[in-house]
Amino acid sequence: MATHHKVNSLGFVCDIIGAVLIWRYGLPESIDREGAILIVGEQTDETQKAKAHCYDCSVKFGVGVLIFGFVLQLVSNFLCGNLGDVQKAPIKTGRK
């Protein structure tokens, strides 16, 4: 397998990982579909703050991995050069 194919495949895998991270941690964890209003007190829940921070970091990491994957796929286009790694097919002229 040529180098540009390997880089392109690695970029594709990074894109999948980044998309899964964004899907898992970027969406709100819990939404009340019934529209119930919760009363919020003055105290703060430190465990919820820590969990929200973990989610925010995971989403940022997922976006970074996604961008890195796209960059790898872009770079793989330039690694090929002028069909340097691709074998050229013979041209048929129609003459014998």
Side-chain angles (χ1 to χ4, degrees):
M1 183 183 288
T3 304
H4 66 280
H5 290 299
K6 291 177 186 176
V7 172
N8 192 15
S9 297
L10 181 63
F12 183 66
V13 169
C14 287
D15 289 342
I16 291 173
I17 291 170
V20 168
L21 285 172
I22 292 170
W23 174 76
R24 171 66 179 98
Y25 295 106
L27 300 175
E29 182 185 13
S30 61
I31 297 174
D32 189 0
R33 301 282 183 194
E34 302 297 320
I37 299 173
L38 303 175
I39 298 174
V40 179
E42 292 294 321
Q43 70 271 17
T44 59
D45 188 2
E46 294 299 322
T47 58
Q48 288 296 318
K49 284 176 67 175
K51 192 173 187 179
H53 178 71
C54 179
Y55 271 54
D56 291 342
C57 289
S58 297
V59 167
K60 289 177 184 176
F61 180 71
V63 169
V65 171
L66 191 69
I67 291 171
F68 180 68
F70 284 135
V71 168
L72 283 177
Q73 288 182 336
L74 182 66
V75 167
S76 73
N77 291 333
F78 296 105
L79 288 178
C80 184
N82 294 328
L83 300 174
D85 292 338
V86 180
Q87 188 176 14
K88 295 180 181 178
I91 300 174
K92 295 182 181 180
T93 60
R95 298 183 196 166
K96 288 188 178 184

